[in-house]
Amino acid sequence: MARDVDASMRDRVDRHYRRCEEVLRARDLDGFMDWLGADGTFPAADGTVVRIAGTRPFWAWRFANVLRVTSVELRIEDISYDDDGLLVVDFHERGSMTVGGFDGLPVERAVDLHNRNLWEVSEDRFTARGGAELAAHRTIGGERLTDETDPWGFGAWERFKASG
């Protein structure tokens, strides 16, 4: 049975997500990887487990394509423990940034996301163990983005890798 989240853990979660805002604003790749946890993992769509460290090339590409962070806000919506003892954090992410568009010109990308992160928690750190995007709204110039039209999305990353 899942246990309740006490005030001390709520404070730790709040500080952890404020740290994420800081590293995103600073476009700090190392800080973001540390925020996820050096030994973090997540389940892939094919059922395998992927190490966060193995995703560094993706995050490096993403961070390199951020020209300016206009705003970022992570608001905690719910905190609980699941039956496996993982900390479940539902949060609302809003923000905007200038990124390099497909044509090389800067574009303003806005996000309004509802996400869930799963964390293994120790005395001194949080380690990512998965997550989900519960609802997503991404736009450029007011036009809604898909993975194919988002210059900062997974589709763009796949095209970048394929281009050699």
Side-chain angles (χ1 to χ4, degrees):
M1 178 159 172
R3 64 187 194 269
D4 290 333
V5 177
D6 65 19
S8 171
M9 182 56 70
R10 289 181 185 282
D11 288 343
R12 281 186 68 190
V13 168
D14 189 57
R15 287 191 308 274
H16 190 63
Y17 280 79
R18 295 302 68 80
R19 172 75 178 132
C20 185
E21 288 175 338
E22 291 169 11
V23 300
L24 290 173
R25 280 187 199 104
R27 301 184 326 240
D28 177 358
L29 173 62
D30 291 332
F32 185 71
M33 297 302 291
D34 182 65
W35 182 80
L36 290 170
D39 297 322
T41 59
F42 64 92
D46 65 3
T48 61
V49 175
V50 177
R51 292 189 66 240
I52 296 290
T55 66
R56 186 178 181 87
F58 166 73
W59 293 109
W61 168 82
R62 249 188 165 184
F63 276 71
N65 282 309
V66 175
L67 306 174
R68 181 175 63 99
V69 175
T70 309
S71 67
V72 61
E73 176 191 9
L74 305 176
R75 186 174 47 83
I76 306 302
E77 295 180 321
D78 189 51
I79 308 169
S80 61
Y81 289 98
D82 68 9
D83 291 336
D84 295 324
L86 294 176
L87 187 71
V88 179
V89 179
D90 290 347
F91 66 101
H92 186 186
E93 176 181 350
R94 296 174 114 176
S96 63
M97 62 182 68
T98 306
V99 299
F102 288 123
D103 58 5
L105 298 174
V107 293
E108 191 70 15
R109 180 181 183 273
V111 297
D112 186 353
L113 313 170
H114 291 272
N115 292 328
R116 171 172 291 154
N117 288 342
L118 305 175
W119 299 99
E120 182 179 306
V121 180
S122 67
E123 286 295 316
D124 60 343
R125 75 174 298 111
F126 289 75
T127 302
R129 294 293 179 225
E133 201 168 73
L134 305 176
H137 186 78
R138 296 175 183 84
T139 61
I140 289 180
E143 295 294 318
R144 193 171 187 120
L145 298 172
T146 66
D147 224 20
E148 290 304 311
T149 62
D150 187 351
W152 212 55
F154 295 111
W157 165 244
E158 291 300 325
R159 287 190 294 281
F160 172 76
K161 287 191 318 185
S163 71

